[in-house]
mmCIF file of all heavy atoms in Angstrom:
data_model
loop_
_atom_site.group_PDB
_atom_site.id
_atom_site.type_symbol
_atom_site.label_atom_id
_atom_site.label_comp_id
_atom_site.label_asym_id
_atom_site.label_seq_id
_atom_site.Cartn_x
_atom_site.Cartn_y
_atom_site.Cartn_z
ATOM 1 N N MET A 120 0.844 -1.178 -0.008
ATOM 2 C CA MET A 120 -0.004 0.013 0.008
ATOM 3 C C MET A 120 0.916 1.249 0.037
ATOM 4 O O MET A 120 1.857 1.293 0.741
ATOM 5 C CB MET A 120 -0.892 -0.004 1.248
ATOM 6 C CG MET A 120 -2.103 0.891 1.161
ATOM 7 S SD MET A 120 -3.155 0.701 2.577
ATOM 8 C CE MET A 120 -4.146 -0.716 2.128
ATOM 9 N N THR A 121 0.528 2.182 -0.782
ATOM 10 C CA THR A 121 1.321 3.458 -0.853
ATOM 11 C C THR A 121 0.827 4.443 0.194
ATOM 12 O O THR A 121 -0.381 4.574 0.386
ATOM 13 C CB THR A 121 1.238 4.084 -2.293
ATOM 14 O OG1 THR A 121 1.735 3.146 -3.236
ATOM 15 C CG2 THR A 121 1.934 5.361 -2.309
ATOM 16 N N HIS A 122 1.803 5.116 0.854
ATOM 17 C CA HIS A 122 1.471 6.147 1.840
ATOM 18 C C HIS A 122 2.302 7.325 1.539
ATOM 19 O O HIS A 122 3.256 7.342 0.809
ATOM 20 C CB HIS A 122 1.802 5.612 3.271
ATOM 21 C CG HIS A 122 1.044 4.387 3.624
ATOM 22 N ND1 HIS A 122 -0.281 4.391 4.066
ATOM 23 C CD2 HIS A 122 1.415 3.078 3.711
ATOM 24 C CE1 HIS A 122 -0.687 3.185 4.368
ATOM 25 N NE2 HIS A 122 0.377 2.299 4.118
ATOM 26 N N THR A 123 2.017 8.425 2.296
ATOM 27 C CA THR A 123 2.889 9.628 2.335
ATOM 28 C C THR A 123 3.066 9.971 3.786
ATOM 29 O O THR A 123 2.363 9.514 4.702
ATOM 30 C CB THR A 123 2.252 10.847 1.678
ATOM 31 O OG1 THR A 123 1.217 11.354 2.528
ATOM 32 C CG2 THR A 123 1.642 10.537 0.283
ATOM 33 N N VAL A 124 4.188 10.665 4.029
ATOM 34 C CA VAL A 124 4.544 11.230 5.362
ATOM 35 C C VAL A 124 4.588 12.700 5.124
ATOM 36 O O VAL A 124 5.565 13.298 4.623
ATOM 37 C CB VAL A 124 5.859 10.680 5.878
ATOM 38 C CG1 VAL A 124 6.111 11.278 7.268
ATOM 39 C CG2 VAL A 124 5.899 9.184 5.907
ATOM 40 N N THR A 125 3.541 13.377 5.429
ATOM 41 C CA THR A 125 3.386 14.756 5.089
ATOM 42 C C THR A 125 3.323 15.684 6.323
ATOM 43 O O THR A 125 2.398 15.650 7.117
ATOM 44 C CB THR A 125 2.090 14.976 4.224
ATOM 45 O OG1 THR A 125 2.149 14.085 3.139
ATOM 46 C CG2 THR A 125 1.981 16.394 3.803
ATOM 47 N N PHE A 126 4.436 16.427 6.484
ATOM 48 C CA PHE A 126 4.526 17.408 7.507
ATOM 49 C C PHE A 126 4.069 18.731 6.921
ATOM 50 O O PHE A 126 3.992 18.878 5.712
ATOM 51 C CB PHE A 126 5.978 17.530 8.065
ATOM 52 C CG PHE A 126 6.462 16.309 8.735
ATOM 53 C CD1 PHE A 126 7.241 15.404 8.041
ATOM 54 C CD2 PHE A 126 6.367 16.151 10.083
ATOM 55 C CE1 PHE A 126 7.743 14.249 8.648
ATOM 56 C CE2 PHE A 126 6.835 14.976 10.696
ATOM 57 C CZ PHE A 126 7.558 14.040 9.961
ATOM 58 N N GLU A 127 3.905 19.784 7.749
ATOM 59 C CA GLU A 127 3.616 21.092 7.225
ATOM 60 C C GLU A 127 4.768 21.605 6.374
ATOM 61 O O GLU A 127 4.573 22.293 5.344
ATOM 62 C CB GLU A 127 3.364 22.084 8.351
ATOM 63 C CG GLU A 127 1.889 22.252 8.819
ATOM 64 C CD GLU A 127 1.698 23.308 9.759
ATOM 65 O OE1 GLU A 127 2.528 24.319 9.800
ATOM 66 O OE2 GLU A 127 0.665 23.261 10.449
ATOM 67 N N ASP A 128 5.979 21.217 6.738
ATOM 68 C CA ASP A 128 7.215 21.806 6.074
ATOM 69 C C ASP A 128 7.932 20.810 5.246
ATOM 70 O O ASP A 128 9.020 21.158 4.706
ATOM 71 C CB ASP A 128 8.069 22.409 7.109
ATOM 72 C CG ASP A 128 8.678 21.424 8.114
ATOM 73 O OD1 ASP A 128 8.114 20.341 8.224
ATOM 74 O OD2 ASP A 128 9.619 21.724 8.746
ATOM 75 N N GLU A 129 7.472 19.603 5.181
ATOM 76 C CA GLU A 129 8.205 18.621 4.300
ATOM 77 C C GLU A 129 7.234 17.498 3.996
ATOM 78 O O GLU A 129 6.443 17.048 4.827
ATOM 79 C CB GLU A 129 9.378 18.066 5.088
ATOM 80 C CG GLU A 129 10.254 17.089 4.214
ATOM 81 C CD GLU A 129 11.526 16.693 4.895
ATOM 82 O OE1 GLU A 129 12.285 17.567 5.331
ATOM 83 O OE2 GLU A 129 11.815 15.477 4.978
ATOM 84 N N ASP A 130 7.345 17.000 2.741
ATOM 85 C CA ASP A 130 6.452 15.976 2.252
ATOM 86 C C ASP A 130 7.298 14.832 1.607
ATOM 87 O O ASP A 130 8.110 15.100 0.762
ATOM 88 C CB ASP A 130 5.475 16.529 1.236
ATOM 89 C CG ASP A 130 4.386 15.542 0.812
ATOM 90 O OD1 ASP A 130 4.480 14.403 1.195
ATOM 91 O OD2 ASP A 130 3.574 15.959 0.065
ATOM 92 N N SER A 131 7.037 13.613 2.042
ATOM 93 C CA SER A 131 7.878 12.525 1.490
ATOM 94 C C SER A 131 7.511 12.240 0.040
ATOM 95 O O SER A 131 8.262 11.575 -0.642
ATOM 96 C CB SER A 131 7.567 11.220 2.305
ATOM 97 O OG SER A 131 6.221 10.865 2.144
ATOM 98 N N GLY A 132 6.292 12.697 -0.413
ATOM 99 C CA GLY A 132 5.809 12.146 -1.631
ATOM 100 C C GLY A 132 5.320 10.781 -1.427
ATOM 101 O O GLY A 132 5.327 10.260 -0.307
ATOM 102 N N ASN A 133 4.976 10.069 -2.528
ATOM 103 C CA ASN A 133 4.485 8.680 -2.375
ATOM 104 C C ASN A 133 5.613 7.800 -1.865
ATOM 105 O O ASN A 133 6.710 7.740 -2.481
ATOM 106 C CB ASN A 133 3.932 8.167 -3.658
ATOM 107 C CG ASN A 133 2.587 8.818 -3.988
ATOM 108 O OD1 ASN A 133 2.006 9.484 -3.190
ATOM 109 N ND2 ASN A 133 2.069 8.550 -5.214
ATOM 110 N N VAL A 134 5.330 7.041 -0.886
ATOM 111 C CA VAL A 134 6.257 5.948 -0.368
ATOM 112 C C VAL A 134 5.628 4.643 -0.683
ATOM 113 O O VAL A 134 4.636 4.187 -0.089
ATOM 114 C CB VAL A 134 6.460 6.134 1.146
ATOM 115 C CG1 VAL A 134 7.424 5.018 1.605
ATOM 116 C CG2 VAL A 134 7.003 7.546 1.484
ATOM 117 N N ASP A 135 6.105 3.967 -1.697
ATOM 118 C CA ASP A 135 5.524 2.751 -2.197
ATOM 119 C C ASP A 135 6.026 1.592 -1.339
ATOM 120 O O ASP A 135 7.051 1.692 -0.651
ATOM 121 C CB ASP A 135 5.903 2.557 -3.659
ATOM 122 C CG ASP A 135 5.279 3.599 -4.574
ATOM 123 O OD1 ASP A 135 4.065 3.879 -4.349
ATOM 124 O OD2 ASP A 135 5.918 4.019 -5.479
ATOM 125 N N PRO A 136 5.347 0.448 -1.433
ATOM 126 C CA PRO A 136 5.763 -0.702 -0.658
ATOM 127 C C PRO A 136 7.239 -1.108 -0.954
ATOM 128 O O PRO A 136 7.684 -1.083 -2.101
ATOM 129 C CB PRO A 136 4.867 -1.882 -1.168
ATOM 130 C CG PRO A 136 3.609 -1.114 -1.571
ATOM 131 C CD PRO A 136 4.089 0.174 -2.128
ATOM 132 N N GLY A 137 7.993 -1.264 0.089
ATOM 133 C CA GLY A 137 9.407 -1.586 -0.077
ATOM 134 C C GLY A 137 10.301 -0.397 0.006
ATOM 135 O O GLY A 137 11.534 -0.484 0.130
ATOM 136 N N GLU A 138 9.695 0.817 -0.132
ATOM 137 C CA GLU A 138 10.551 2.064 -0.024
ATOM 138 C C GLU A 138 10.459 2.579 1.403
ATOM 139 O O GLU A 138 9.593 2.205 2.208
ATOM 140 C CB GLU A 138 9.906 3.125 -1.004
ATOM 141 C CG GLU A 138 10.055 2.753 -2.481
ATOM 142 C CD GLU A 138 9.518 3.892 -3.378
ATOM 143 O OE1 GLU A 138 8.638 4.642 -2.891
ATOM 144 O OE2 GLU A 138 10.015 3.977 -4.467
ATOM 145 N N THR A 139 11.456 3.457 1.648
ATOM 146 C CA THR A 139 11.479 4.028 2.996
ATOM 147 C C THR A 139 11.539 5.575 2.877
ATOM 148 O O THR A 139 11.914 6.085 1.767
ATOM 149 C CB THR A 139 12.674 3.557 3.843
ATOM 150 O OG1 THR A 139 13.843 3.927 3.154
ATOM 151 C CG2 THR A 139 12.604 2.076 4.045
ATOM 152 N N TYR A 140 11.218 6.279 3.931
ATOM 153 C CA TYR A 140 11.320 7.738 3.967
ATOM 154 C C TYR A 140 11.984 8.007 5.325
ATOM 155 O O TYR A 140 11.622 7.447 6.331
ATOM 156 C CB TYR A 140 9.987 8.401 3.918
ATOM 157 C CG TYR A 140 9.983 9.817 4.371
ATOM 158 C CD1 TYR A 140 10.527 10.822 3.609
ATOM 159 C CD2 TYR A 140 9.477 10.186 5.629
ATOM 160 C CE1 TYR A 140 10.604 12.162 4.058
ATOM 161 C CE2 TYR A 140 9.507 11.447 6.082
ATOM 162 C CZ TYR A 140 10.075 12.447 5.326
ATOM 163 O OH TYR A 140 10.051 13.722 5.769
ATOM 164 N N ALA A 141 12.989 8.881 5.279
ATOM 165 C CA ALA A 141 13.707 9.199 6.571
ATOM 166 C C ALA A 141 13.826 10.724 6.642
ATOM 167 O O ALA A 141 13.947 11.404 5.645
ATOM 168 C CB ALA A 141 15.131 8.607 6.597
ATOM 169 N N ARG A 142 13.751 11.264 7.871
ATOM 170 C CA ARG A 142 13.937 12.700 8.135
ATOM 171 C C ARG A 142 14.744 12.819 9.396
ATOM 172 O O ARG A 142 14.484 12.055 10.377
ATOM 173 C CB ARG A 142 12.555 13.402 8.257
ATOM 174 C CG ARG A 142 12.773 14.804 8.596
ATOM 175 C CD ARG A 142 11.438 15.572 8.557
ATOM 176 N NE ARG A 142 11.704 17.006 8.963
ATOM 177 C CZ ARG A 142 10.749 17.966 8.969
ATOM 178 N NH1 ARG A 142 9.552 17.659 8.665
ATOM 179 N NH2 ARG A 142 11.122 19.182 9.182
ATOM 180 N N THR A 143 15.704 13.716 9.360
ATOM 181 C CA THR A 143 16.521 13.951 10.555
ATOM 182 C C THR A 143 16.177 15.224 11.222
ATOM 183 O O THR A 143 15.981 16.191 10.551
ATOM 184 C CB THR A 143 18.067 13.991 10.141
ATOM 185 O OG1 THR A 143 18.404 12.734 9.546
ATOM 186 C CG2 THR A 143 18.904 14.164 11.391
ATOM 187 N N PHE A 144 16.032 15.205 12.561
ATOM 188 C CA PHE A 144 15.651 16.362 13.306
ATOM 189 C C PHE A 144 16.858 16.830 14.081
ATOM 190 O O PHE A 144 17.569 16.008 14.715
ATOM 191 C CB PHE A 144 14.527 16.155 14.247
ATOM 192 C CG PHE A 144 13.215 15.682 13.508
ATOM 193 C CD1 PHE A 144 13.000 14.347 13.283
ATOM 194 C CD2 PHE A 144 12.350 16.647 13.035
ATOM 195 C CE1 PHE A 144 11.853 13.939 12.660
ATOM 196 C CE2 PHE A 144 11.204 16.243 12.335
ATOM 197 C CZ PHE A 144 10.940 14.908 12.139
ATOM 198 N N ASP A 145 17.158 18.170 14.103
ATOM 199 C CA ASP A 145 18.338 18.628 14.795
ATOM 200 C C ASP A 145 17.995 19.341 16.147
ATOM 201 O O ASP A 145 18.940 19.889 16.777
ATOM 202 C CB ASP A 145 19.163 19.500 13.901
ATOM 203 C CG ASP A 145 18.375 20.730 13.406
ATOM 204 O OD1 ASP A 145 17.229 20.881 13.835
ATOM 205 O OD2 ASP A 145 18.904 21.443 12.519
ATOM 206 N N ALA A 146 16.787 19.358 16.546
ATOM 207 C CA ALA A 146 16.460 20.009 17.818
ATOM 208 C C ALA A 146 15.149 19.391 18.335
ATOM 209 O O ALA A 146 14.355 18.860 17.551
ATOM 210 C CB ALA A 146 16.176 21.518 17.569
ATOM 211 N N PRO A 147 14.979 19.441 19.642
ATOM 212 C CA PRO A 147 13.754 18.888 20.182
ATOM 213 C C PRO A 147 12.550 19.594 19.643
ATOM 214 O O PRO A 147 12.569 20.845 19.524
ATOM 215 C CB PRO A 147 13.910 19.112 21.696
ATOM 216 C CG PRO A 147 15.340 19.252 21.868
ATOM 217 C CD PRO A 147 15.903 19.905 20.678
ATOM 218 N N ARG A 148 11.541 18.887 19.308
ATOM 219 C CA ARG A 148 10.297 19.479 18.760
ATOM 220 C C ARG A 148 9.210 18.419 18.696
ATOM 221 O O ARG A 148 9.524 17.237 18.746
ATOM 222 C CB ARG A 148 10.584 20.171 17.443
ATOM 223 C CG ARG A 148 11.054 19.195 16.359
ATOM 224 C CD ARG A 148 11.663 19.941 15.214
ATOM 225 N NE ARG A 148 10.732 20.753 14.447
ATOM 226 C CZ ARG A 148 10.868 21.198 13.243
ATOM 227 N NH1 ARG A 148 12.062 20.913 12.622
ATOM 228 N NH2 ARG A 148 10.028 21.922 12.700
ATOM 229 N N GLU A 149 8.046 18.834 18.483
ATOM 230 C CA GLU A 149 6.963 17.982 18.314
ATOM 231 C C GLU A 149 6.253 18.333 16.926
ATOM 232 O O GLU A 149 5.892 19.535 16.770
ATOM 233 C CB GLU A 149 5.911 18.072 19.448
ATOM 234 C CG GLU A 149 4.917 16.967 19.448
ATOM 235 C CD GLU A 149 4.281 16.807 20.831
ATOM 236 O OE1 GLU A 149 5.036 16.489 21.841
ATOM 237 O OE2 GLU A 149 3.113 17.103 20.955
ATOM 238 N N LEU A 150 6.118 17.387 16.110
ATOM 239 C CA LEU A 150 5.583 17.741 14.804
ATOM 240 C C LEU A 150 4.512 16.658 14.385
ATOM 241 O O LEU A 150 4.738 15.468 14.407
ATOM 242 C CB LEU A 150 6.704 17.588 13.705
ATOM 243 C CG LEU A 150 7.603 18.802 13.548
ATOM 244 C CD1 LEU A 150 8.646 18.426 12.423
ATOM 245 C CD2 LEU A 150 6.788 19.984 13.013
ATOM 246 N N ALA A 151 3.426 17.174 13.947
ATOM 247 C CA ALA A 151 2.335 16.298 13.495
ATOM 248 C C ALA A 151 2.515 16.020 11.963
ATOM 249 O O ALA A 151 3.174 16.806 11.227
ATOM 250 C CB ALA A 151 1.010 17.000 13.653
ATOM 251 N N TYR A 152 2.124 14.843 11.547
ATOM 252 C CA TYR A 152 2.176 14.512 10.186
ATOM 253 C C TYR A 152 1.023 13.661 9.832
ATOM 254 O O TYR A 152 0.347 13.050 10.697
ATOM 255 C CB TYR A 152 3.557 13.776 9.777
ATOM 256 C CG TYR A 152 3.671 12.422 10.374
ATOM 257 C CD1 TYR A 152 3.341 11.249 9.677
ATOM 258 C CD2 TYR A 152 4.237 12.282 11.629
ATOM 259 C CE1 TYR A 152 3.494 10.026 10.236
ATOM 260 C CE2 TYR A 152 4.343 10.954 12.201
ATOM 261 C CZ TYR A 152 4.058 9.879 11.464
ATOM 262 O OH TYR A 152 4.142 8.688 12.050
ATOM 263 N N ASP A 153 0.715 13.562 8.572
ATOM 264 C CA ASP A 153 -0.350 12.680 8.168
ATOM 265 C C ASP A 153 -0.066 12.026 6.815
ATOM 266 O O ASP A 153 0.965 12.370 6.194
ATOM 267 C CB ASP A 153 -1.746 13.384 8.135
ATOM 268 C CG ASP A 153 -1.802 14.521 7.194
ATOM 269 O OD1 ASP A 153 -0.881 14.652 6.255
ATOM 270 O OD2 ASP A 153 -2.750 15.296 7.335
ATOM 271 N N CYS A 154 -0.910 11.125 6.391
ATOM 272 C CA CYS A 154 -0.872 10.496 5.106
ATOM 273 C C CYS A 154 -1.974 11.148 4.266
ATOM 274 O O CYS A 154 -3.115 11.104 4.627
ATOM 275 C CB CYS A 154 -1.021 9.049 5.192
ATOM 276 S SG CYS A 154 -1.132 8.145 3.543
ATOM 277 N N THR A 155 -1.529 11.760 3.188
ATOM 278 C CA THR A 155 -2.568 12.517 2.331
ATOM 279 C C THR A 155 -3.403 11.552 1.522
ATOM 280 O O THR A 155 -4.437 11.973 0.991
ATOM 281 C CB THR A 155 -1.846 13.436 1.370
ATOM 282 O OG1 THR A 155 -0.987 12.726 0.510
ATOM 283 C CG2 THR A 155 -1.078 14.518 2.141
ATOM 284 N N ILE A 156 -3.039 10.264 1.474
ATOM 285 C CA ILE A 156 -3.789 9.252 0.738
ATOM 286 C C ILE A 156 -4.950 8.698 1.564
ATOM 287 O O ILE A 156 -6.033 8.399 1.038
ATOM 288 C CB ILE A 156 -2.922 8.117 0.209
ATOM 289 C CG1 ILE A 156 -1.874 8.673 -0.685
ATOM 290 C CG2 ILE A 156 -3.717 7.019 -0.449
ATOM 291 C CD1 ILE A 156 -0.746 7.700 -1.137
ATOM 292 N N HIS A 157 -4.690 8.542 2.857
ATOM 293 C CA HIS A 157 -5.635 7.836 3.746
ATOM 294 C C HIS A 157 -6.173 8.804 4.842
ATOM 295 O O HIS A 157 -5.432 9.123 5.755
ATOM 296 C CB HIS A 157 -5.012 6.586 4.359
ATOM 297 C CG HIS A 157 -4.496 5.612 3.301
ATOM 298 N ND1 HIS A 157 -3.135 5.456 3.094
ATOM 299 C CD2 HIS A 157 -5.157 4.839 2.446
ATOM 300 C CE1 HIS A 157 -3.038 4.548 2.067
ATOM 301 N NE2 HIS A 157 -4.249 4.199 1.697
ATOM 302 N N ALA A 158 -7.376 9.189 4.744
ATOM 303 C CA ALA A 158 -8.031 10.096 5.731
ATOM 304 C C ALA A 158 -7.949 9.442 7.056
ATOM 305 O O ALA A 158 -8.168 8.255 7.235
ATOM 306 C CB ALA A 158 -9.476 10.412 5.294
ATOM 307 N N GLY A 159 -7.540 10.276 8.096
ATOM 308 C CA GLY A 159 -7.497 9.752 9.471
ATOM 309 C C GLY A 159 -6.194 9.056 9.819
ATOM 310 O O GLY A 159 -6.035 8.607 10.968
ATOM 311 N N MET A 160 -5.270 8.900 8.851
ATOM 312 C CA MET A 160 -3.989 8.338 9.170
ATOM 313 C C MET A 160 -3.028 9.395 9.535
ATOM 314 O O MET A 160 -2.444 10.083 8.637
ATOM 315 C CB MET A 160 -3.509 7.509 7.948
ATOM 316 C CG MET A 160 -2.170 6.728 8.144
ATOM 317 S SD MET A 160 -1.758 5.711 6.740
ATOM 318 C CE MET A 160 -2.887 4.288 6.932
ATOM 319 N N ASP A 161 -2.908 9.627 10.772
ATOM 320 C CA ASP A 161 -2.004 10.728 11.243
ATOM 321 C C ASP A 161 -1.358 10.351 12.555
ATOM 322 O O ASP A 161 -1.819 9.434 13.223
ATOM 323 C CB ASP A 161 -2.804 12.072 11.377
ATOM 324 C CG ASP A 161 -4.032 11.881 12.279
ATOM 325 O OD1 ASP A 161 -3.848 11.598 13.465
ATOM 326 O OD2 ASP A 161 -5.156 12.013 11.693
ATOM 327 N N ALA A 162 -0.289 11.099 12.867
ATOM 328 C CA ALA A 162 0.459 10.800 14.047
ATOM 329 C C ALA A 162 1.382 12.026 14.336
ATOM 330 O O ALA A 162 1.332 13.062 13.636
ATOM 331 C CB ALA A 162 1.361 9.589 13.872
ATOM 332 N N THR A 163 2.124 11.925 15.492
ATOM 333 C CA THR A 163 2.990 13.002 15.893
ATOM 334 C C THR A 163 4.349 12.415 16.150
ATOM 335 O O THR A 163 4.501 11.334 16.745
ATOM 336 C CB THR A 163 2.460 13.671 17.170
ATOM 337 O OG1 THR A 163 1.131 14.162 16.911
ATOM 338 C CG2 THR A 163 3.364 14.804 17.578
ATOM 339 N N VAL A 164 5.368 13.118 15.711
ATOM 340 C CA VAL A 164 6.802 12.753 16.048
ATOM 341 C C VAL A 164 7.229 13.661 17.232
ATOM 342 O O VAL A 164 7.040 14.871 17.180
ATOM 343 C CB VAL A 164 7.711 13.005 14.885
ATOM 344 C CG1 VAL A 164 9.214 12.752 15.295
ATOM 345 C CG2 VAL A 164 7.342 12.143 13.668
ATOM 346 N N THR A 165 7.772 13.003 18.276
ATOM 347 C CA THR A 165 8.328 13.836 19.395
ATOM 348 C C THR A 165 9.880 13.546 19.415
ATOM 349 O O THR A 165 10.301 12.463 19.607
ATOM 350 C CB THR A 165 7.665 13.313 20.681
ATOM 351 O OG1 THR A 165 6.274 13.551 20.653
ATOM 352 C CG2 THR A 165 8.239 14.144 21.884
ATOM 353 N N VAL A 166 10.571 14.664 19.176
ATOM 354 C CA VAL A 166 11.984 14.645 19.177
ATOM 355 C C VAL A 166 12.528 15.086 20.584
ATOM 356 O O VAL A 166 12.172 16.206 20.986
ATOM 357 C CB VAL A 166 12.614 15.504 18.106
ATOM 358 C CG1 VAL A 166 14.122 15.389 18.035
ATOM 359 C CG2 VAL A 166 12.008 15.095 16.777
ATOM 360 N N THR A 167 13.268 14.290 21.251
ATOM 361 C CA THR A 167 13.755 14.634 22.564
ATOM 362 C C THR A 167 15.246 14.858 22.532
ATOM 363 O O THR A 167 15.924 14.431 21.558
ATOM 364 C CB THR A 167 13.368 13.607 23.650
ATOM 365 O OG1 THR A 167 14.017 12.349 23.219
ATOM 366 C CG2 THR A 167 11.887 13.417 23.760
ATOM 367 N N ASP A 168 15.823 15.490 23.535
ATOM 368 C CA ASP A 168 17.239 15.696 23.669
ATOM 369 C C ASP A 168 18.033 14.347 23.757
ATOM 370 O O ASP A 168 17.552 13.421 24.260
ATOM 371 C CB ASP A 168 17.587 16.474 24.975
ATOM 372 C CG ASP A 168 17.558 17.992 24.671
ATOM 373 O OD1 ASP A 168 17.944 18.387 23.579
ATOM 374 O OD2 ASP A 168 17.245 18.691 25.569
HETATM 375 CU CU1 LIG B 470 -1.536 6.013 4.122
#
């Protein structure tokens, strides 16, 4: 199943089965993201020290 990892400031584009998406955070923060393909598929990344 294809998904996206869509933040306000960055979008993975389509992530197809077998592909990966990675993002590096350089400071503590909390960021919500969702999948633009599947309504209700959302979560939050919490970056700690
Ligand atoms: Cu999805």
